Amino acid sequence: MLVQIAHGSFKALAELYDLVAPLLLALLRSRRSTADQADDALVGAFVRIWRTAPAYSPGTAALDWIIDLAQGDRRTGTSGRAA
């Protein structure tokens, strides 16, 4: 699915959102002060997924990669905030 997103598939992004957004939102809510901050972080995570999907290496643990982006992991060079 990330490879499809890397090739510009909005449909694949929507499918990924449907699959992982509930998990990411729960994770983000456990690490943010307010629900609004978690919601904003979720939007930012999917913006980063869209923008950085071309850098994803197939064979890498996709969910770990997505969670790293959502949390603003230092390895991804993101701040955890929407760009």
Side-chain angles (χ1 to χ4, degrees), residues 7-39:
H7 287 100
S9 173
F10 289 112
K11 181 180 178 190
L13 184 67
E15 290 173 6
L16 182 68
Y17 182 91
D18 290 343
L19 287 171
V20 302
L23 170 72
L24 291 180
L25 189 56
L27 177 69
L28 292 167
R29 283 187 175 163
S30 74
R31 297 191 163 127
R32 298 292 191 272
S33 298
T34 68
D36 285 343
Q37 288 177 339
D39 292 342

Side-chain angles (χ1 to χ4, degrees), residues 18-73:
D18 290 343
L19 287 171
V20 302
L23 170 72
L24 291 180
L25 189 56
L27 177 69
L28 292 167
R29 283 187 175 163
S30 74
R31 297 191 163 127
R32 298 292 191 272
S33 298
T34 68
D36 285 343
Q37 288 177 339
D39 292 342
D40 289 347
L42 181 65
V43 171
F46 276 89
V47 168
R48 285 189 302 280
I49 289 168
W50 178 257
R51 289 180 178 167
T52 61
Y56 172 74
S57 298
T60 303
L63 186 57
D64 290 342
W65 187 83
I66 291 166
I67 290 171
D68 286 349
L69 283 175
Q71 296 183 99
D73 189 279

